[in-house]
Amino acid sequence: MKNEFLVAVTQISAERHLPKEVVLEAIEQALILAYKRNFGAAQSIDVRIDPNTGQARVFVEKEAVEEVEDQRTQISLQEARQIDAEAVPGSIIRIEKTPKTFGRIAAQTAKQVILQRIREAERETLYADWSDRLGELVLGTVRNIDRSGNVILSLGRAEALMPRSEQIPTEHYSRGQKLRTYIYEVEKTSRGPRIRISRTHRKLLRRLMESEVPEVFNGTVEIKAIAREPGSRSKVAVTATQPGLDPVGSCVGMRGVRIQNVVNELNGEKIDIVAWAPDEKDFVANALSPAKVEHVWLDPNTRTATVVVPDGQLSLAIGKEGQNARLAAKLTGWRIDIKSLSEAAEEAERRAKEEAEAAVREAELAAKREAAMALLREAERALAEEEEQAAAAVEAEAAPKIAPAGDVEAEVAAETAPAEEVEPPAAEAPAVAEALETTALPTEAPAEAGAKPEIGRKKAPAWEGEEDPELDKEQQRLKEQRKKTRRQESLVYDEESGTLIRHPRRKESRRQRDWEESTEW
């Protein structure tokens, strides 16, 4: 028959849900502390409790030395060899010194140490147990509601806290109410594990589906995505991993029994089960259930899905206050733009008209650009021809004229021959004389009194009478060059009209032009 000590150890282990070895270890630590309080703290103490008989034995560890200096930690080599024949200097000798009884203070200290060690072991065990249950569904009883609105649930040996932010807005809690919640955080503290639970977490719906639908629990039906607005409505996308299995029908159940149990657990929250599809267009169309979708266009750059529904299905697709479209966007990850058939047709017509107008404008601009390029090419060609003609004329004038040998001899003979008077014919003589009289200019005109000087006539310089052929050619070339430069600078292309415009140039005065011509040399 076991003694009372082992019975007490077994009872504590059962009440605290602790292993028997943990309780015995706590008692050993308490006995070590009590022995040091009575017999000195400098000694190395070890306590062993027999798990079968419950007998405790205390051992003191001492070092074997030749000459003992400290009786508490050292033992002579001769005494050590009486206990262990193979002892040598430096060996550790275990000496049993189990006291018959402890003092009152030592016993009280042992009791406190045992209780503290048991509480620490209990907290460690609780934390290990609940940390393993992180992400699971748990059933608890409402124990209290504090002033901040936080709900404290009793989970048996532990307590859990449900913050106000994790409560469903449409629910009201009372003491003693049973709730199924989701554990989303377990924190280790000095007072034990701090467990936080939630009623609004998306994974709460997943765990409820696993508990109600066997196909979801065993993996033949997989939940791909969940979008939830707690207390109002949720959408769940499911797919089958086994061919021939209807995932939506499996989750709904016969006459909706399975999904109705989940709805009742969430106090009437509506749940839509939709079929997941690998094609993004089909998935977006299914996510807008129960509305029917005609067409879906996806824009990967902006992650926008344009959905076209029948005119009578527009309000159903959008939902109350846009809830259906909002949940579908959360479920699929696409920004959804919903339009009716009439709106889509009007927009398509408007886009086609805008594209046609843009094409016409582009064609007109292309034609204008081509015409402008043709005019520019024609102008460049004309300028090039004029430059070539001017250059040829300059070269022709600059080339020296070589007369034949016979003509040169005739000219020399004419120059050496005496001048002969050449009489005009008789019929032409009076006309020639009359022309000479009219064209003859007086060498010196008498200045009449009151005569006004001529205006607008430029007096020729003294050297004007002497003609220089090289100077005339140079002036002619400079005039051609200035004329060409003026023609090039006056041609301007107008983008709006698509034509070449010749800007009017300011006409130079005669005095300025005569001065420039006279100073060019």
Side-chain angles (χ1 to χ4, degrees):
M1 181 177 179
K2 293 184 179 181
N3 56 18
E4 295 180 359
F5 177 76
L6 292 180
V7 173
V9 170
T10 304
Q11 184 178 358
I12 292 174
S13 300
E15 290 177 356
R16 302 285 183 163
H17 300 277
L18 296 174
K20 187 177 178 180
E21 292 77 9
V22 174
V23 178
L24 292 176
E25 183 181 356
I27 296 173
E28 290 174 355
Q29 295 295 328
L31 292 176
I32 291 172
L33 187 60
Y35 187 89
K36 287 184 177 181
R37 183 175 289 273
N38 274 4
F39 302 100
Q43 301 181 24
S44 179
I45 307 299
D46 186 21
V47 176
R48 289 290 181 264
I49 298 177
D50 191 352
N52 297 323
T53 62
Q55 183 180 2
R57 300 175 65 185
V58 179
F59 295 91
V60 179
E61 295 180 352
K62 293 185 178 183
E63 182 182 1
V65 294
E66 295 288 346
E67 185 178 354
V68 178
E69 297 179 357
D70 189 357
Q71 293 288 343
R72 295 175 300 178
T73 59
Q74 295 177 349
I75 186 175
S76 64
L77 185 60
Q78 184 179 1
E79 293 177 357
R81 287 179 177 175
Q82 292 177 1
I83 300 172
D84 186 3
E86 297 179 357
V88 294
S91 300
I92 302 298
I93 306 300
R94 290 168 58 89
I95 305 171
E96 182 178 357
K97 288 191 177 182
T98 304
K100 295 182 179 180
T101 182
F102 288 105
R104 183 180 60 84
I105 297 176
Q108 186 68 22
T109 304
K111 178 182 176 182
Q112 293 177 357
V113 171
I114 290 172
L115 293 177
Q116 183 180 358
R117 294 290 183 181
I118 289 176
R119 283 195 295 267
E120 290 178 357
E122 186 179 8
R123 286 195 291 266
E124 292 289 339
T125 304
L126 281 175
Y127 176 75
D129 292 343
W130 288 105
S131 60
D132 293 339
R133 299 184 64 180
L134 181 65
E136 292 184 0
L137 205 63
V138 64
L139 178 63
T141 305
V142 178
R143 188 179 66 84
N144 190 17
I145 302 174
D146 60 12
R147 294 181 179 179
S148 302
N150 301 327
V151 179
I152 300 173
L153 268 71
S154 176
L155 304 178
R157 294 188 303 123
E159 291 182 352
L161 177 67
M162 182 167 62
R164 191 176 184 86
S165 59
E166 299 296 330
Q167 302 173 15
I168 297 177
T170 58
E171 289 184 345
H172 300 280
Y173 309 105
S174 59
R175 291 184 179 182
Q177 182 181 358
K178 299 288 184 180
L179 290 177
R180 299 180 74 177
T181 56
Y182 174 79
I183 303 174
Y184 70 92
E185 182 182 359
V186 178
E187 183 180 358
K188 186 178 182 180
T189 63
S190 60
R191 294 187 176 182
R194 180 181 297 170
I195 305 170
R196 295 181 182 272
I197 55 179
S198 172
R199 289 274 293 174
T200 61
H201 206 282
R202 291 184 303 170
K203 292 187 178 180
L204 173 65
L205 182 56
R206 180 186 292 270
R207 295 293 178 259
L208 290 174
M209 294 285 293
E210 290 176 355
S211 62
E212 295 294 337
V213 183
E215 289 82 0
V216 177
F217 182 76
N218 58 30
T220 55
V221 174
E222 182 181 359
I223 297 177
K224 285 290 188 178
I226 297 176
R228 187 183 180 200
E229 291 187 359
S232 180
R233 192 172 184 177
S234 300
K235 283 183 178 290
V236 182
V238 296
T239 183
T241 59
Q242 181 178 344
L245 182 63
D246 182 14
V248 178
S250 300
C251 294
V252 173
M254 185 69 67
R255 297 181 182 180
V257 174
R258 293 178 175 177
I259 198 64
Q260 189 61 39
N261 293 335
V262 179
V263 171
N264 295 337
E265 184 63 37
L266 297 176
N267 292 330
E269 181 178 324
K270 297 179 181 179
I271 301 174
D272 295 338
I273 307 296
V274 300
W276 179 84
D279 188 4
E280 296 287 349
K281 293 183 178 180
D282 297 339
F283 186 31
V284 171
N286 295 339
L288 289 172
S289 176
K292 297 180 180 179
V293 177
E294 295 291 338
H295 301 286
V296 178
W297 291 279
L298 301 179
D299 186 3
N301 297 328
T302 59
R303 294 288 296 178
T304 302
T306 304
V307 181
V308 178
V309 298
D311 294 342
Q313 298 279 322
L314 182 60
S315 59
L316 183 63
I318 296 175
K320 184 180 180 181
E321 298 179 356
Q323 187 182 58
N324 191 53
R326 187 166 56 250
L327 287 174
K330 290 180 181 179
L331 190 69
T332 60
W334 288 81
R335 180 181 176 273
I336 299 178
D337 185 12
I338 304 175
K339 298 180 181 180
S340 62
L341 279 174
S342 57
E343 293 177 355
E346 291 176 0
E347 186 174 355
E349 184 178 355
R350 179 177 56 81
R351 286 182 179 178
K353 185 177 179 180
E354 290 177 356
E355 290 176 358
E357 292 176 356
V360 170
R361 287 195 299 270
E362 186 65 25
E364 292 177 355
L365 289 176
K368 288 181 179 180
R369 292 192 190 98
E370 187 65 26
M373 295 301 295
L375 290 175
L376 286 174
R377 289 193 295 269
E378 184 66 24
E380 291 176 357
R381 187 181 60 79
L383 289 175
E385 291 179 356
E386 291 180 1
E387 290 176 1
E388 292 178 359
Q389 292 177 2
V394 171
E395 291 178 359
E397 292 178 358
K401 296 182 179 180
I402 302 174
D407 296 341
V408 173
E409 294 175 358
E411 291 178 0
V412 172
E415 290 177 358
T416 56
E420 296 180 358
E421 295 182 359
V422 179
E423 295 183 359
E428 296 179 359
V432 172
E434 186 178 356
L436 290 174
E437 290 178 2
T438 55
T439 56
L441 294 177
T443 58
E444 189 174 352
E448 297 179 0
K452 296 181 180 180
E454 295 184 3
I455 299 174
R457 300 197 59 147
K458 178 175 173 293
K459 184 177 181 181
W463 42 267
E464 189 175 1
E466 299 176 1
E467 297 182 357
D468 189 355
E470 295 294 335
L471 182 61
D472 293 342
K473 294 177 184 178
E474 183 67 20
Q475 290 180 354
Q476 183 67 20
R477 186 181 64 78
L478 292 174
K479 286 182 181 180
E480 292 293 337
Q481 186 174 0
R482 285 200 304 272
K483 185 177 180 181
K484 171 185 172 183
T485 305
R486 287 197 297 269
R487 284 198 301 267
Q488 290 180 348
E489 293 178 351
S490 61
L491 291 176
V492 178
Y493 175 68
D494 188 6
E495 289 286 345
E496 296 182 359
S497 61
T499 57
L500 288 174
I501 298 177
R502 187 185 299 274
H503 284 287
R505 300 177 72 257
R506 183 174 61 83
K507 188 174 181 182
E508 299 176 352
S509 63
R510 178 179 298 177
R511 181 178 300 174
Q512 181 179 0
R513 186 170 62 254
D514 293 342
W515 172 254
E516 291 178 355
E517 292 176 355
S518 63
T519 58
E520 283 178 354
W521 63 275

